[in-house]
Amino acid sequence: MTTTALTDGNLALVLPATRPVFEVIDGFGPSVPASHNSAPAVRPRCPRCVLVLAIIVLIGALAAGASALNGLSRQQAAFESAMASDARVVVDVESGDTLWSIASAHPADGVSVDETVSILRSWNGLTESLLQPGMSLEVPA
């Protein structure tokens, strides 16, 4: 048996070398002794349980996908409605204005500022983002 000696001044401590102790358990579940402090052994899942769990996960994934598609279709419908809207006003571009700042000040209903910028580009025939002071733009009312 190997030992470790620690000394400090006139004090000495001799420690026996310790090694981890493992216990081999044959089988699963309740055969683990009650005195054993580790977690219980894992039981293998029955094929039917695995199938039911897989079906539940698949149904959840399909429901989440359907919800996402529904949200996208609502966003698309709002964008198309805003594009087709005749509720418009004309604003004059001032120094320092950008498409983003104008879209933020005049948002279209139900769409993001980024989508409102796309609407402004389309309504006003803009191919670039550069605005000149004095330009007139149609914006959502």
Side-chain angles (χ1 to χ4, degrees), residues 95-112:
S95 180
D97 281 346
T98 64
L99 280 175
W100 189 268
S101 67
I102 292 171
S104 297
H106 303 276
D109 290 335
V111 297
S112 67

Side-chain angles (χ1 to χ4, degrees), residues 44-87:
R45 294 190 185 266
C46 68
R48 178 179 282 163
C49 297
V50 172
L51 180 62
V52 169
L53 183 61
I55 290 172
I56 291 171
V57 169
L58 181 61
I59 290 171
L62 289 174
S67 176
L69 286 176
N70 187 25
L72 289 176
S73 66
R74 275 189 265 135
Q75 287 176 336
Q76 183 65 28
F79 179 78
E80 290 172 4
S81 173
M83 280 290 290
S85 173
D86 290 331

